[in-house]
Amino acid sequence: LGETQWQTVGETKDCTLIDKTAKSSNRYTYTVQCIDSNGRTSSAPNATGRTCTYIAMSKITSIGSVSNGIKLVWSQPAGAKNFRVMRKADGESKYTAIADVLGTSYIDKTAVKGVKYWYTIRAITLAGDMYINSYNSYGWSCTR
């Protein structure tokens, strides 16, 4: 009782690893254990690890110019309820948060006619914090 049975997710030499087995809406605890060049463990895992909730990526399913802006509609992955709409104009390098939305659609009424925009969606907590989730860093584009 009270003991955690750690399972190996993978190995890396780069100090980063993506858990491709994670399922949306599940809570996971991770720890790291060092392995020497002979394949022997050279450190004990942190007993408590670090815990997070993983939410899968939202995908924009519809994007288009409407009379009062650009309308976006996206998928709702398991466990996600709130979303942050992020946008950048063509040629910009960074996304900016433009709205926090409860639901899976939004009309960007600040989009300027003739400008091409790129959008991406992130799942957020009720407090407005980001979940541990993936997102489309390239985004989806539309010109108003």
Side-chain angles (χ1 to χ4, degrees), residues 49-63:
R50 188 147 185 199
T51 302
C52 63
T53 300
Y54 171 72
I55 301 293
M57 176 174 57
S58 295
K59 295 179 183 171
I60 293 178
T61 57
S62 172
I63 185 170

Side-chain angles (χ1 to χ4, degrees), residues 98-120:
I98 60 169
D100 288 351
V101 179
L102 177 64
T104 57
S105 66
Y106 176 74
I107 296 176
D108 179 4
K109 296 177 181 177
T110 64
V112 177
K113 286 187 179 193
V115 176
K116 182 177 185 178
Y117 293 98
W118 295 85
Y119 295 88
T120 193

Side-chain angles (χ1 to χ4, degrees), residues 11 16 27 41 46 57 73 79 81 91 93-94 124-125 127 139:
E11 294 182 13
T16 61
R27 197 162 170 76
T41 57
N46 178 306
M57 176 174 57
V73 179
K81 303 227 182 328
S93 60
K94 294 183 179 181
I124 58 172
T125 65

Side-chain angles (χ1 to χ4, degrees), residues 66-113:
V66 293
S67 63
N68 58 342
I70 295 176
K71 183 175 182 179
L72 303 109
V73 179
W74 57 88
S75 64
Q76 183 169 358
K81 303 227 182 328
N82 300 318
F83 300 91
R84 180 159 293 154
V85 179
M86 301 180 75
R87 176 187 85 181
K88 65 180 178 178
D90 202 26
E92 294 178 346
S93 60
K94 294 183 179 181
Y95 283 99
T96 301
I98 60 169
D100 288 351
V101 179
L102 177 64
T104 57
S105 66
Y106 176 74
I107 296 176
D108 179 4
K109 296 177 181 177
T110 64
V112 177
K113 286 187 179 193

Side-chain angles (χ1 to χ4, degrees), residues 1-48:
L1 286 172
E3 292 184 7
T4 301
Q5 187 68 29
W6 296 107
Q7 297 177 4
T8 300
V9 174
E11 294 182 13
T12 183
K13 294 179 183 180
D14 301 326
C15 297
T16 61
L17 182 80
I18 296 173
D19 180 358
K20 294 183 179 179
T21 66
K23 304 290 183 220
S24 191
S25 187
N26 287 352
R27 197 162 170 76
Y28 296 95
T29 301
Y30 294 94
T31 190
V32 175
Q33 187 171 28
C34 297
I35 301 172
D36 67 19
S37 60
N38 297 317
R40 295 185 304 253
T41 57
S42 60
S43 70
N46 178 306
T48 57

